[in-house]
Amino acid sequence: MVFTQAGSTKKIIEAVNLASLAPSACNRQPYEFYVVNDMQRAPIIAKCAMGTTGFADNLPCIIVVVGNLDAYPAERDRHCIYIDGSLAAMQFMLAIETLGLATCPINWPDIEARERQLAKELSLSVDQRPVMLIAVGYPDPDGGVPFSQKKNNTLLIRNV
């Protein structure tokens, strides 16, 4: 995906408001959206994720979904930041598409050194963890979208 310019701040705010309606365990909403809407800084943040070579340098805006572990004092519930953050991220991506922008989710690696690098870049506290990154921008009308075959229901459904 090729982006022609950074995302509209007003549209991003609207999409985050819609994302806040996503389901969340005990409605704790243990996440925040760190918006880097700057063509100089967005590639720096994107490169923290690895696997973005060539792609990162073309990103005008990146959003980091950050989970807050302090929302769950019990260790047994700490995985909820990833579930709730992902649900909100999906809702955000669906909302942003309806507003004329495009997104591309960027996988976040579970590598301690990368967590420290991103924490430093975003001034995250020890209770905050990156869940995923989302590239945002206006799509190039002449740009293509690569095709990736999806699994069908016969591979995804297991009747037990």
Side-chain angles (χ1 to χ4, degrees):
M1 176 175 300
V2 177
F3 296 112
T4 59
Q5 63 192 55
S8 161
T9 300
K10 183 179 176 184
K11 290 180 179 185
I12 290 170
I13 291 169
E14 187 175 348
V16 168
N17 286 334
L18 292 168
S20 74
L21 302 174
S24 170
C26 300
N27 198 33
R28 292 187 182 171
Q29 297 178 296
Y31 51 80
E32 296 170 289
F33 292 82
Y34 279 62
V35 179
V36 182
N37 202 0
D38 177 320
M39 292 189 76
Q40 302 302 312
R41 193 141 187 262
I44 295 167
I45 301 301
K47 289 175 183 175
C48 291
M50 302 170 33
T52 59
T53 303
F55 179 65
D57 292 321
N58 297 315
L59 299 179
C61 176
I62 194 144
I63 295 175
V64 183
V65 180
V66 176
N68 297 310
L69 288 170
D70 59 359
Y72 295 100
E75 185 179 3
R76 70 171 193 262
D77 296 327
R78 294 193 151 211
H79 68 286
C80 290
I81 67 167
Y82 301 101
I83 295 168
D84 292 352
S86 295
L87 289 167
M90 182 63 163
Q91 188 109 340
F92 171 83
M93 292 188 318
L94 291 170
I96 208 82
E97 293 282 337
T98 68
L99 298 171
L101 290 161
T103 64
C104 181
I106 299 172
N107 184 40
W108 180 250
D110 187 12
I111 299 172
E112 185 62 31
R114 294 297 172 155
E115 296 248 351
R116 285 192 303 272
Q117 180 183 9
L118 191 58
K120 183 178 178 184
E121 287 289 338
L122 299 176
S123 299
L124 301 179
S125 73
V126 296
D127 290 331
Q128 295 178 294
R129 297 289 186 278
V131 173
M132 68 182 298
L133 283 67
I134 304 170
V136 178
Y138 289 92
D140 181 343
D142 298 324
V145 177
F147 175 76
S148 179
Q149 182 68 41
K150 301 296 183 191
K151 294 179 182 179
N152 66 29
N153 64 314
T154 61
L155 297 172
L156 296 173
I157 298 173
R158 297 285 182 240
N159 292 312
V160 292

